[in-house]
Coordinates of all heavy atoms in Angstrom, one line a residue:
P1 N -57.2 78.0 -1.4 CA -58.3 78.6 -2.2 C -58.4 80.1 -2.0 O -58.2 80.5 -0.9 CB -59.6 77.9 -1.8 CG -59.1 76.6 -1.2 CD -57.8 76.9 -0.5
R2 N -58.7 80.8 -3.1 CA -58.7 82.2 -3.0 C -59.8 82.7 -2.0 O -59.6 83.8 -1.4 CB -58.9 82.8 -4.4 CG -58.6 84.3 -4.6 CD -58.4 84.6 -6.0 NE -57.4 83.8 -6.6 CZ -56.9 84.0 -7.9 NH1 -57.4 85.0 -8.6 NH2 -56.0 83.2 -8.3
E3 N -60.9 82.0 -1.9 CA -62.0 82.5 -1.1 C -61.7 82.4 0.4 O -62.4 82.9 1.2 CB -63.2 81.7 -1.4 CG -63.2 80.2 -1.2 CD -62.7 79.4 -2.4 OE1 -62.2 80.1 -3.4 OE2 -63.0 78.2 -2.5
L4 N -60.5 81.8 0.8 CA -60.2 81.7 2.2 C -59.2 82.8 2.6 O -58.8 82.8 3.8 CB -59.5 80.3 2.4 CG -60.4 79.1 2.4 CD1 -59.7 77.8 2.7 CD2 -61.6 79.3 3.4
I5 N -58.9 83.7 1.7 CA -58.0 84.8 2.1 C -58.6 86.1 1.8 O -59.0 86.4 0.7 CB -56.6 84.7 1.3 CG1 -55.9 83.4 1.6 CG2 -55.8 86.0 1.6 CD1 -55.4 83.3 3.1
N6 N -58.8 86.9 2.9 CA -59.3 88.3 2.7 C -58.2 89.2 2.9 O -57.3 89.0 3.8 CB -60.4 88.6 3.8 CG -61.6 87.7 3.5 OD1 -62.0 87.3 2.4 ND2 -62.3 87.4 4.6
V7 N -58.2 90.3 2.2 CA -57.1 91.3 2.3 C -57.6 92.6 2.9 O -58.6 93.2 2.5 CB -56.5 91.6 0.9 CG1 -55.4 92.7 1.0 CG2 -56.0 90.4 0.2
E8 N -56.9 93.0 4.0 CA -57.3 94.2 4.7 C -56.4 95.4 4.2 O -55.1 95.2 4.2 CB -57.1 94.1 6.2 CG -58.2 93.2 6.8 CD -58.1 93.1 8.3 OE1 -57.4 94.0 8.9 OE2 -58.7 92.3 9.0
I9 N -57.0 96.5 3.9 CA -56.2 97.7 3.5 C -56.8 98.8 4.3 O -58.0 99.0 4.4 CB -56.4 98.0 2.0 CG1 -55.9 96.9 1.2 CG2 -55.6 99.3 1.7 CD1 -56.1 97.1 -0.3
T10 N -55.9 99.6 5.0 CA -56.4 100.7 5.9 C -57.0 101.8 5.0 O -56.6 102.0 3.8 CB -55.3 101.3 6.7 OG1 -54.3 101.8 5.9 CG2 -54.7 100.2 7.7
E11 N -58.0 102.5 5.5 CA -58.6 103.6 4.8 C -57.5 104.7 4.4 O -57.5 105.2 3.3 CB -59.7 104.2 5.7 CG -60.3 105.4 5.0 CD -61.2 106.2 6.0 OE1 -61.0 106.0 7.3 OE2 -62.0 106.9 5.6
S12 N -56.6 104.9 5.3 CA -55.6 106.0 5.1 C -54.7 105.5 3.9 O -54.2 106.4 3.2 CB -54.8 106.2 6.3 OG -54.1 105.0 6.8
A13 N -54.4 104.2 3.8 CA -53.6 103.8 2.7 C -54.2 104.0 1.4 O -53.5 104.3 0.4 CB -53.3 102.3 2.9
I14 N -55.5 103.9 1.3 CA -56.2 104.2 0.0 C -56.3 105.6 -0.3 O -56.1 106.1 -1.5 CB -57.6 103.5 0.1 CG1 -57.5 102.0 0.3 CG2 -58.3 103.8 -1.2 CD1 -58.8 101.3 0.5
I15 N -56.5 106.5 0.7 CA -56.7 107.9 0.5 C -55.4 108.5 -0.1 O -55.4 109.3 -1.0 CB -57.1 108.6 1.8 CG1 -58.5 108.2 2.1 CG2 -57.0 110.1 1.6 CD1 -59.0 108.7 3.4
S16 N -54.2 108.1 0.5 CA -53.0 108.7 0.0 C -52.6 108.1 -1.3 O -52.6 106.9 -1.5 CB -51.9 108.5 1.1 OG -51.7 107.1 1.3
R17 N -52.2 108.9 -2.3 CA -51.8 108.5 -3.6 C -52.9 107.6 -4.1 O -52.7 106.5 -4.6 CB -50.5 107.8 -3.6 CG -49.3 108.7 -3.2 CD -48.0 108.1 -3.4 NE -47.7 107.7 -4.8 CZ -46.5 107.3 -5.2 NH1 -45.5 107.2 -4.3 NH2 -46.3 107.0 -6.4
S18 N -54.1 108.1 -4.0 CA -55.3 107.3 -4.2 C -55.5 106.6 -5.6 O -55.9 105.4 -5.7 CB -56.6 108.1 -3.9 OG -56.7 109.2 -4.8
A19 N -55.1 107.3 -6.6 CA -55.3 106.7 -8.0 C -54.6 105.3 -8.1 O -55.1 104.3 -8.6 CB -54.8 107.7 -9.0
L20 N -53.3 105.3 -7.7 CA -52.4 104.1 -7.9 C -53.0 103.0 -6.9 O -53.1 101.9 -7.3 CB -51.0 104.5 -7.6 CG -50.0 103.3 -7.5 CD1 -50.0 102.5 -8.8 CD2 -48.6 103.7 -7.1
R21 N -53.2 103.4 -5.7 CA -53.6 102.4 -4.7 C -55.0 101.9 -5.0 O -55.3 100.7 -4.7 CB -53.4 103.0 -3.3 CG -51.9 103.1 -3.0 CD -51.7 103.8 -1.7 NE -50.3 103.7 -1.3 CZ -49.6 104.6 -0.7 NH1 -50.2 105.8 -0.4 NH2 -48.3 104.4 -0.4
Q22 N -55.9 102.7 -5.4 CA -57.2 102.3 -5.8 C -57.2 101.3 -6.9 O -58.0 100.3 -7.0 CB -58.1 103.5 -6.2 CG -58.6 104.3 -4.9 CD -59.5 105.4 -5.3 OE1 -60.1 105.4 -6.4 NE2 -59.7 106.4 -4.4
R23 N -56.3 101.5 -7.9 CA -56.2 100.6 -9.0 C -55.7 99.2 -8.5 O -56.3 98.1 -8.9 CB -55.1 101.1 -10.0 CG -55.0 100.2 -11.3 CD -54.3 100.9 -12.4 NE -52.9 101.2 -12.1 CZ -52.4 102.4 -11.9 NH1 -53.1 103.4 -11.9 NH2 -51.1 102.5 -11.6
V24 N -54.8 99.1 -7.6 CA -54.4 97.8 -7.0 C -55.6 97.2 -6.2 O -55.8 96.0 -6.3 CB -53.2 98.0 -6.1 CG1 -52.8 96.6 -5.4 CG2 -52.0 98.5 -6.9
A25 N -56.3 98.0 -5.4 CA -57.4 97.5 -4.7 C -58.5 96.9 -5.7 O -59.1 95.8 -5.4 CB -58.1 98.6 -3.9
D26 N -58.7 97.6 -6.8 CA -59.7 97.1 -7.7 C -59.2 95.8 -8.3 O -60.0 94.9 -8.6 CB -59.9 98.1 -8.8 CG -60.7 99.3 -8.4 OD1 -61.4 99.2 -7.3 OD2 -60.7 100.3 -9.1
R27 N -57.9 95.7 -8.5 CA -57.4 94.4 -9.1 C -57.5 93.2 -8.1 O -57.8 92.1 -8.5 CB -55.9 94.6 -9.5 CG -55.7 95.4 -10.8 CD -54.2 95.6 -11.0 NE -53.5 94.3 -11.1 CZ -52.3 94.2 -10.8 NH1 -51.5 95.2 -10.3 NH2 -51.7 93.0 -10.9
L28 N -57.4 93.5 -6.9 CA -57.6 92.5 -5.8 C -59.0 92.0 -5.9 O -59.2 90.7 -5.8 CB -57.3 93.0 -4.4 CG -55.8 93.2 -4.1 CD1 -55.7 94.1 -2.8 CD2 -55.2 91.8 -3.8
V29 N -60.0 92.9 -6.0 CA -61.4 92.4 -6.0 C -61.6 91.6 -7.3 O -62.3 90.6 -7.3 CB -62.3 93.7 -6.0 CG1 -63.8 93.2 -6.2 CG2 -62.2 94.4 -4.6
D30 N -61.1 92.2 -8.5 CA -61.3 91.5 -9.7 C -60.6 90.1 -9.7 O -61.1 89.2 -10.4 CB -60.7 92.3 -10.9 CG -61.5 93.6 -11.1 OD1 -62.6 93.7 -10.7 OD2 -60.9 94.5 -11.7
A31 N -59.6 89.9 -8.9 CA -58.9 88.7 -8.8 C -59.6 87.7 -7.9 O -59.2 86.5 -7.8 CB -57.4 88.8 -8.3
G32 N -60.7 88.1 -7.3 CA -61.5 87.2 -6.5 C -61.2 87.2 -5.0 O -61.7 86.4 -4.2
F33 N -60.4 88.2 -4.5 CA -60.1 88.3 -3.1 C -61.2 89.1 -2.4 O -61.8 90.0 -2.9 CB -58.8 88.9 -2.8 CG -57.6 88.1 -3.2 CD1 -57.0 88.3 -4.5 CD2 -57.1 87.1 -2.4 CE1 -55.9 87.6 -4.8 CE2 -56.0 86.3 -2.8 CZ -55.4 86.6 -4.0
G34 N -61.5 88.7 -1.1 CA -62.4 89.5 -0.3 C -61.6 90.7 0.1 O -60.5 90.6 0.7
L35 N -62.1 91.9 -0.1 CA -61.4 93.2 0.3 C -62.0 93.8 1.5 O -63.2 94.1 1.4 CB -61.3 94.1 -0.9 CG -60.5 95.4 -0.7 CD1 -59.0 95.1 -0.4 CD2 -60.7 96.4 -1.9
E36 N -61.2 94.2 2.5 CA -61.8 94.8 3.7 C -61.1 96.2 3.9 O -59.9 96.3 3.8 CB -61.5 93.9 4.9 CG -62.1 92.5 4.7 CD -61.8 91.6 5.9 OE1 -61.0 92.0 6.8 OE2 -62.3 90.5 5.9
I37 N -61.9 97.2 4.2 CA -61.4 98.5 4.5 C -61.2 98.5 6.0 O -62.1 98.5 6.8 CB -62.3 99.6 4.1 CG1 -62.4 99.6 2.5 CG2 -61.7 101.0 4.5 CD1 -63.4 100.6 2.0
D38 N -59.9 98.6 6.5 CA -59.6 98.5 7.9 C -59.5 99.9 8.5 O -59.2 100.9 7.8 CB -58.3 97.8 8.1 CG -58.1 97.3 9.5 OD1 -59.1 97.3 10.3 OD2 -56.9 97.0 9.9
D39 N -59.7 100.0 9.8 CA -59.6 101.3 10.5 C -60.4 102.4 10.0 O -60.0 103.6 10.0 CB -58.1 101.8 10.5 CG -57.2 100.8 11.2 OD1 -57.7 100.0 12.0 OD2 -55.9 100.9 11.1

């Protein structure tokens, strides 16, 4: 089940090339995954 998997993304990963990576991060949330900002 989707609710049993959380996805960790480091803060630095989002900051670099932020527009593209933020779009993927938003899609993860919209898809129902728990999103965690690591480090």
Side-chain angles (χ1 to χ4, degrees):
R2 198 163 302 190
E3 60 269 19
L4 287 179
I5 298 294
N6 296 329
V7 180
E8 291 188 11
I9 301 175
T10 62
E11 179 192 17
S12 59
I14 299 173
I15 291 176
S16 58
R17 296 184 64 170
S18 58
L20 174 60
R21 287 171 172 146
Q22 284 183 20
R23 185 165 66 247
V24 175
D26 288 342
R27 286 178 55 210
L28 283 165
V29 174
D30 293 339
F33 291 97
L35 183 64
E36 303 179 355
I37 299 178
D38 196 17
D39 292 344

